Amino acid sequence: VLFLCELDSKQHRDSIEQYLDRLMKQQKEHGGWGYANEPSGDTSQTQYAALALWEANRCGFTIDATAAGKMIDWLLRVQDPDGGWGYQGIVGGADRSQEQKSQLAQNPDQLRPTMLAAGLSSVLLSADMLGDMPNYDDASADEDLPETLRQRAGSQSAIRPTIYVEGFDQSRLAPAIVAATEWMDKNYSIEVDS
Protein backbone atom coordinates (compact mmCIF):
# COMPACT_ATOMS: atom_id res chain seq x y z
CA VAL A 1 0.00 0.00 0.00
CA LEU A 2 2.75 2.43 0.97
CA PHE A 3 4.86 1.74 -2.07
CA LEU A 4 1.99 1.87 -4.55
CA CYS A 5 0.54 5.03 -3.02
CA GLU A 6 3.90 6.76 -3.33
CA LEU A 7 4.57 5.37 -6.81
CA ASP A 8 1.25 6.40 -8.36
CA SER A 9 -1.95 6.01 -6.38
CA LYS A 10 -4.18 6.70 -9.37
CA GLN A 11 -2.52 4.18 -11.68
CA HIS A 12 -2.44 1.48 -8.97
CA ARG A 13 -5.85 2.22 -7.46
CA ASP A 14 -7.27 -1.30 -7.94
CA SER A 15 -4.22 -2.99 -6.40
CA ILE A 16 -4.16 -0.58 -3.46
CA GLU A 17 -7.85 -1.23 -2.78
CA GLN A 18 -7.23 -5.00 -2.90
CA TYR A 19 -4.35 -4.70 -0.43
CA LEU A 20 -6.38 -2.44 1.87
CA ASP A 21 -9.20 -4.98 1.80
CA ARG A 22 -6.79 -7.80 2.72
CA LEU A 23 -5.30 -5.67 5.48
CA MET A 24 -8.69 -4.90 6.98
CA LYS A 25 -9.63 -8.60 6.95
CA GLN A 26 -6.58 -9.27 9.15
CA GLN A 27 -7.62 -6.76 11.82
CA LYS A 28 -8.45 -8.49 15.09
CA GLU A 29 -11.77 -7.97 16.83
CA HIS A 30 -10.14 -5.76 19.51
CA GLY A 31 -8.81 -3.42 16.82
CA GLY A 32 -5.12 -4.30 16.59
CA TRP A 33 -3.18 -6.51 14.21
CA GLY A 34 -1.01 -9.44 15.21
CA TYR A 35 0.03 -12.99 14.58
CA ALA A 36 -2.74 -15.17 13.14
CA ASN A 37 -2.37 -17.80 15.87
CA GLU A 38 -2.33 -15.29 18.76
CA PRO A 39 -5.41 -13.52 20.15
CA SER A 40 -3.43 -10.47 21.27
CA GLY A 41 -2.61 -7.56 19.05
CA ASP A 42 0.93 -6.57 18.33
CA THR A 43 2.13 -2.95 18.55
CA SER A 44 4.81 -3.56 15.94
CA GLN A 45 2.43 -5.01 13.35
CA THR A 46 -0.30 -2.48 14.12
CA GLN A 47 2.10 0.39 13.37
CA TYR A 48 2.37 -0.80 9.76
CA ALA A 49 -1.40 -1.01 9.42
CA ALA A 50 -1.70 2.52 10.84
CA LEU A 51 0.89 3.79 8.39
CA ALA A 52 -0.83 2.08 5.44
CA LEU A 53 -4.24 3.49 6.41
CA TRP A 54 -2.80 6.97 6.91
CA GLU A 55 -1.00 6.94 3.55
CA ALA A 56 -4.08 5.61 1.74
CA ASN A 57 -6.20 8.26 3.46
CA ARG A 58 -3.78 10.98 2.30
CA CYS A 59 -4.10 9.65 -1.24
CA GLY A 60 -7.89 9.92 -1.14
CA PHE A 61 -8.85 6.29 -0.47
CA THR A 62 -11.87 5.69 1.71
CA ILE A 63 -10.89 4.30 5.09
CA ASP A 64 -13.53 2.44 7.08
CA ALA A 65 -14.21 4.71 10.06
CA THR A 66 -15.31 1.87 12.32
CA ALA A 67 -12.11 -0.10 11.68
CA ALA A 68 -9.97 3.03 12.13
CA GLY A 69 -11.79 3.79 15.37
CA LYS A 70 -11.18 0.28 16.68
CA MET A 71 -7.48 0.60 15.84
CA ILE A 72 -7.17 3.96 17.60
CA ASP A 73 -9.07 2.69 20.64
CA TRP A 74 -6.83 -0.40 20.80
CA LEU A 75 -3.67 1.73 20.62
CA LEU A 76 -4.88 3.89 23.50
CA ARG A 77 -6.06 0.94 25.60
CA VAL A 78 -2.78 -0.97 25.32
CA GLN A 79 -0.63 2.02 26.27
CA ASP A 80 1.03 1.49 29.63
CA PRO A 81 -0.27 3.86 32.34
CA ASP A 82 3.20 5.47 32.41
CA GLY A 83 3.08 6.16 28.65
CA GLY A 84 4.99 3.32 26.97
CA TRP A 85 3.82 0.44 24.78
CA GLY A 86 4.69 -3.23 25.00
CA TYR A 87 5.28 -5.50 22.03
CA GLN A 88 2.12 -7.53 22.66
CA GLY A 89 -0.81 -5.32 23.53
CA ILE A 90 -2.31 -5.88 26.97
CA VAL A 91 -5.79 -4.43 26.66
CA GLY A 92 -6.81 -2.36 29.63
CA GLY A 93 -9.55 0.14 30.28
CA ALA A 94 -9.94 3.40 28.43
CA ASP A 95 -7.92 5.05 31.22
CA ARG A 96 -4.77 2.90 30.71
CA SER A 97 -5.65 0.69 33.66
CA GLN A 98 -3.49 -0.58 36.46
CA GLU A 99 -4.22 -4.10 35.18
CA GLN A 100 -1.88 -3.35 32.31
CA LYS A 101 0.69 -1.96 34.71
CA SER A 102 0.77 -5.13 36.78
CA GLN A 103 0.97 -7.36 33.70
CA LEU A 104 3.74 -5.27 32.15
CA ALA A 105 5.60 -5.21 35.48
CA GLN A 106 5.94 -8.98 35.12
CA ASN A 107 7.59 -8.44 31.70
CA PRO A 108 9.46 -5.13 32.01
CA ASP A 109 11.48 -5.82 28.86
CA GLN A 110 8.24 -5.36 26.88
CA LEU A 111 8.43 -1.58 27.38
CA ARG A 112 11.15 -0.35 25.04
CA PRO A 113 11.77 2.88 23.16
CA THR A 114 11.25 1.04 19.87
CA MET A 115 7.76 -0.03 20.92
CA LEU A 116 7.02 3.47 22.17
CA ALA A 117 8.04 4.83 18.77
CA ALA A 118 5.69 2.31 17.12
CA GLY A 119 2.78 3.10 19.43
CA LEU A 120 3.23 6.86 19.51
CA SER A 121 3.70 7.17 15.74
CA SER A 122 0.52 5.14 15.25
CA VAL A 123 -1.40 7.42 17.63
CA LEU A 124 -0.04 10.52 15.85
CA LEU A 125 -1.01 9.09 12.44
CA SER A 126 -4.46 8.29 13.82
CA ALA A 127 -4.82 11.79 15.26
CA ASP A 128 -3.91 13.20 11.85
CA MET A 129 -6.59 11.07 10.15
CA LEU A 130 -9.10 12.39 12.68
CA GLY A 131 -8.11 15.96 11.83
CA ASP A 132 -6.61 16.49 15.28
CA MET A 133 -3.09 17.45 14.18
CA PRO A 134 -1.74 20.69 12.74
CA ASN A 135 -1.18 20.86 9.00
CA TYR A 136 2.48 20.00 8.46
CA ASP A 137 2.25 20.58 4.72
CA ASP A 138 3.19 24.23 5.31
CA ALA A 139 6.63 24.67 3.71
CA SER A 140 7.41 27.77 5.82
CA ALA A 141 8.39 25.42 8.66
CA ASP A 142 11.33 24.26 6.52
CA GLU A 143 13.37 27.46 6.89
CA ASP A 144 15.75 26.03 9.52
CA LEU A 145 16.30 22.71 7.74
CA PRO A 146 19.29 21.94 5.52
CA GLU A 147 18.51 22.45 1.84
CA THR A 148 18.43 18.70 1.14
CA LEU A 149 15.61 18.21 3.67
CA ARG A 150 13.40 21.13 2.63
CA GLN A 151 10.11 20.56 0.89
CA ARG A 152 10.44 21.21 -2.83
CA ALA A 153 8.89 24.47 -3.96
CA GLY A 154 5.65 23.79 -5.75
CA SER A 155 5.38 20.24 -4.47
CA GLN A 156 1.82 19.10 -4.22
CA SER A 157 0.25 19.01 -0.77
CA ALA A 158 -1.34 15.77 0.28
CA ILE A 159 -5.07 15.38 0.43
CA ARG A 160 -6.05 15.50 4.09
CA PRO A 161 -9.54 14.04 4.42
CA THR A 162 -10.79 13.71 7.97
CA ILE A 163 -12.26 10.47 9.22
CA TYR A 164 -15.16 10.82 11.62
CA VAL A 165 -15.35 7.98 14.14
CA GLU A 166 -18.75 7.97 15.77
CA GLY A 167 -18.57 7.86 19.56
CA PHE A 168 -14.79 8.27 19.74
CA ASP A 169 -13.67 10.81 22.33
CA GLN A 170 -10.79 12.68 20.68
CA SER A 171 -9.83 14.23 24.01
CA ARG A 172 -8.19 10.84 24.80
CA LEU A 173 -5.45 11.54 22.23
CA ALA A 174 -3.61 14.47 23.84
CA PRO A 175 -3.01 12.79 27.24
CA ALA A 176 -1.72 9.66 25.49
CA ILE A 177 0.69 11.72 23.38
CA VAL A 178 1.91 13.68 26.42
CA ALA A 179 2.40 10.49 28.48
CA ALA A 180 4.34 8.87 25.63
CA THR A 181 6.58 11.89 25.16
CA GLU A 182 7.30 12.02 28.89
CA TRP A 183 8.05 8.27 28.92
CA MET A 184 10.54 8.69 26.08
CA ASP A 185 12.20 11.66 27.78
CA LYS A 186 12.58 9.62 30.97
CA ASN A 187 13.62 6.26 29.45
CA TYR A 188 15.64 6.95 26.32
CA SER A 189 19.22 8.09 26.18
CA ILE A 190 22.11 7.74 23.79
CA GLU A 191 25.43 6.54 25.15
CA VAL A 192 28.48 7.65 23.21
CA ASP A 193 31.83 5.97 23.76
CA SER A 194 34.60 8.52 23.87
Side-chain angles (χ1 to χ4, degrees):
V1 170
L2 299 172
F3 173 74
L4 294 176
C5 280
E6 284 295 319
L7 183 61
D8 189 331
S9 63
K10 289 182 175 94
Q11 180 182 346
H12 300 288
R13 184 165 199 80
D14 291 343
S15 295
I16 293 167
E17 287 177 344
Q18 287 176 358
Y19 285 126
L20 285 171
D21 183 56
R22 287 180 64 190
L23 178 66
M24 299 317 295
K25 287 179 180 173
Q26 298 301 314
Q27 186 179 28
K28 295 189 178 281
E29 186 60 35
H30 50 62
W33 278 261
Y35 296 103
N37 59 341
E38 296 287 332
S40 64
D42 179 306
T43 304
S44 181
Q45 290 183 43
T46 300
Q47 76 178 320
Y48 296 110
L51 186 55
L53 295 179
W54 178 77
E55 182 67 22
N57 184 60
R58 286 173 38 101
C59 290
F61 289 87
T62 300
I63 303 302
D64 180 274
T66 301
K70 286 173 60 174
M71 175 188 71
I72 298 163
D73 183 64
W74 182 84
L75 287 162
L76 296 176
R77 291 180 64 207
V78 299
Q79 185 182 23
D80 177 71
D82 291 336
W85 275 268
Y87 181 68
Q88 292 294 309
I90 299 168
V91 179
D95 61 348
R96 298 191 312 270
S97 74
Q98 291 303 314
E99 175 187 328
Q100 291 169 283
K101 186 77 176 157
S102 65
Q103 290 182 46
L104 286 168
Q106 295 170 15
N107 298 300
D109 61 325
Q110 282 246 349
L111 295 174
R112 299 187 302 269
T114 54
M115 289 299 100
L116 180 124
L120 177 57
S121 64
S122 299
V123 169
L124 292 170
L125 294 170
S126 299
D128 191 53
M129 287 191 292
L130 295 175
D132 205 23
M133 292 294 290
N135 187 344
Y136 292 110
D137 291 337
D138 179 10
S140 65
D142 291 350
E143 293 171 357
D144 294 331
L145 293 175
E147 182 65 34
T148 55
L149 298 177
R150 291 184 190 172
Q151 187 176 25
R152 291 188 319 260
S155 66
Q156 184 176 351
S157 293
I159 299 168
R160 297 174 61 91
T162 299
I163 296 173
Y164 172 72
V165 178
E166 187 174 341
F168 181 76
D169 179 5
Q170 285 187 229
S171 69
R172 294 171 59 201
L173 294 167
I177 293 167
V178 169
T181 304
E182 289 173 354
W183 189 96
M184 186 64 94
D185 288 344
K186 191 174 10 174
N187 292 283
Y188 179 71
S189 64
I190 298 174
E191 294 180 24
V192 178
D193 294 333
S194 43

